[in-house]
Amino acid sequence: MIRLAFTAVLLLAGVLAFSAFYLAKGSEGQPTEITTGTPDGPSPAAQAPDTPEVEKLFFLRGIDFENGEISLVLFQPGTEHERLIIRDQAALLEAQDKAFVNTTTPDGEEAGSLLLNMMGAPSEETIAQIFRDDVLIAAVNCPNSSCGHFADSSDIDYAGLTDFSVPHQTINDEFSTYEAYIATIEGIADDPNYMLLDQRPLVDFPLAQRPAHLIVELPNVITDDASFDPSLHEALVQSAIVPLLPDGADLDWVQVTDQGPAVLADKDNNQPVLAGGAPIVFTGAQFYSVRARINGVTTLPTDVYNALTQASLRQVDIDAAFPDFVTSRLQTDCVDCYFLKVEGGYSDEAHAFDWRSEAYYLNYYDLREAP
């Protein structure tokens, strides 16, 4: 596995209309007008309004080849994976005044547009992207379906560049440690045999570290004490968890949440029982969910869960009051036909609720010559 560094910074620029073309160069220098028409002369004279003028956009013209390496990526319109990568500097320089896209088709539709320092994945309309040292500096869009297809047409001329494409393989890497992820990015920046090009993530690159984490659900608080203070219970849980954590783990937060009132529900359909159109509320206790997030682990030993259960269990006996509650409300002897339904449910033991392993993903190109 290679080791890579991320040093590039993407800059945003605007989309240019093609009544006149300007190269908003950003790091390339001051804005420079792009010449339209043929390399040997100005554009043809204006046509009649019903015959739109066809102008050529020479998309490599004005690119500075003196600083860094220029790479051109050509895309197959309508496909996700097919592309050609051209890195031959002499061939690209030779094609500066030859490779073009028509900016207006005979039926009047715009056939080419240039976006500079564009930050975004290629769309089905993107036929080319230009990179300097693996940083996007320009892209060519072609809404007309006749453009592209890795072949010259009436609307595009690659000037023979397709003959200079290099072999490449897309690498889909996954890392379980942040150190390996960052080292791979640094390796890509240092080794010209590997490049991100259009695989570079659109935002948040490189990713911030996202450590493994575990969310523990602790016993729900079931209390008839009107003075119950959730913040005091949070402090109790924190003091119980911290001494039990293994090396490399730390407590992120503890949350105690009011679940609202419990209501009487029918076991046959799991639905609240209604009286006068409203649920029958159990007034004998209040219910609170208790959760804690622990960073650095995805599980805990069984004895830790047992210790947390014993340390945080705070539940009044609702089973004793439940039969009288049912019979007084429903005048029935079938107490077992009903249960107390609480938003989110409730439990009397600590257990893992949710977890995520540390993981990072990176796609890039291996551009080494095929053996």
Side-chain angles (χ1 to χ4, degrees):
M1 182 180 298
I2 63 171
R3 295 292 181 264
L4 325 159
F6 172 62
T7 55
V9 177
L10 291 175
L11 304 175
L12 292 173
V15 177
L16 291 93
F18 285 99
S19 55
F21 301 101
Y22 293 92
L23 184 59
K25 291 188 174 182
S27 62
E28 296 288 314
Q30 296 300 314
T32 303
E33 185 175 356
I34 294 178
T35 304
T36 59
T38 66
D40 299 325
S43 303
Q47 302 286 335
D50 59 344
T51 307
E53 182 179 0
V54 177
E55 298 190 27
K56 294 180 173 62
L57 170 65
F58 295 89
F59 52 87
L60 289 173
R61 183 176 286 176
I63 300 297
D64 180 7
F65 283 82
E66 297 297 323
N67 298 305
E69 179 184 279
I70 299 298
S71 299
L72 174 67
V73 180
L74 302 179
F75 299 91
Q76 178 83 7
T79 65
E80 184 176 353
H81 300 295
E82 292 189 49
R83 66 253 291 121
L84 300 179
I85 300 175
I86 296 92
R87 302 175 67 192
D88 189 304
Q89 302 300 285
L92 290 166
L93 187 59
E94 174 67 20
Q96 270 195 315
D97 290 327
K98 299 177 182 178
F100 68 85
V101 174
N102 281 343
T103 62
T104 308
T105 62
D107 60 6
E109 293 185 4
E110 187 177 278
S113 59
L114 186 66
L115 298 81
L116 296 203
N117 294 327
M118 186 188 75
M119 184 175 179
S123 68
E124 290 188 0
E125 298 176 352
T126 303
I127 62 171
Q129 288 183 338
I130 304 168
F131 296 83
R132 179 188 307 286
D133 293 334
D134 211 4
V135 177
L136 182 67
I137 60 173
V140 182
N141 279 3
C142 186
N144 189 307
S145 60
S146 66
C147 292
H149 300 285
F150 298 154
D152 295 336
S153 70
S154 59
D155 288 318
I156 189 167
D157 187 343
Y158 287 121
L161 287 174
T162 56
D163 296 335
F164 294 89
S165 64
V166 297
H168 61 273
Q169 179 182 1
T170 302
I171 306 298
N172 303 309
D173 248 340
E174 179 179 352
F175 309 92
S176 59
T177 68
Y178 194 65
E179 293 75 16
Y181 167 69
I182 292 298
T184 302
I185 294 174
E186 292 174 349
I188 290 173
D190 291 339
D191 191 336
N193 289 316
Y194 300 90
M195 300 183 80
L196 294 168
L197 297 176
D198 62 287
Q199 302 290 339
R200 183 185 297 273
L202 304 184
V203 294
D204 298 332
F205 182 72
L207 293 169
Q209 186 168 8
R210 300 178 302 185
H213 75 256
L214 167 68
I215 296 179
V216 177
E217 192 160 56
L218 293 104
N220 298 71
V221 172
I222 306 175
T223 180
D224 56 3
D225 183 359
S227 64
F228 172 75
D229 187 343
S231 63
L232 293 179
H233 193 73
E234 288 178 0
L236 169 69
V237 173
Q238 289 173 5
S239 63
I241 290 178
V242 172
L244 298 173
L245 294 179
D247 292 340
D250 62 88
L251 178 63
D252 191 352
W253 47 254
V254 176
Q255 293 177 345
V256 177
T257 305
D258 188 346
Q259 294 176 270
V263 298
L264 192 62
D266 192 327
K267 286 184 178 179
D268 287 339
N269 58 23
N270 200 38
Q271 295 300 311
V273 178
L274 303 181
I280 300 173
V281 175
F282 179 71
T283 58
Q286 290 287 86
F287 292 75
Y288 298 84
S289 65
V290 185
R291 289 177 181 170
R293 171 167 164 148
I294 301 169
N295 291 333
V297 294
T298 56
T299 188
L300 294 171
T302 301
D303 60 340
V304 172
Y305 289 116
N306 292 338
L308 290 175
T309 296
Q310 297 304 315
S312 62
L313 189 62
R314 180 171 179 174
Q315 298 181 348
V316 297
D317 184 5
I318 57 176
D319 292 337
F322 185 69
D324 289 341
F325 173 73
V326 174
T327 55
S328 65
R329 298 301 193 278
L330 300 179
Q331 290 77 47
T332 178
D333 294 329
C334 187
V335 174
D336 291 338
C337 297
Y338 303 93
F339 69 102
L340 288 180
K341 186 171 185 176
V342 182
E343 183 68 30
Y346 59 95
S347 171
D348 59 2
E349 63 180 10
H351 57 274
F353 174 74
D354 189 22
W355 58 91
R356 186 192 68 193
S357 299
E358 186 170 6
Y360 308 93
Y361 304 91
L362 184 67
N363 299 333
Y364 54 93
Y365 291 113
D366 181 346
L367 300 169
R368 292 174 295 180
E369 292 291 337

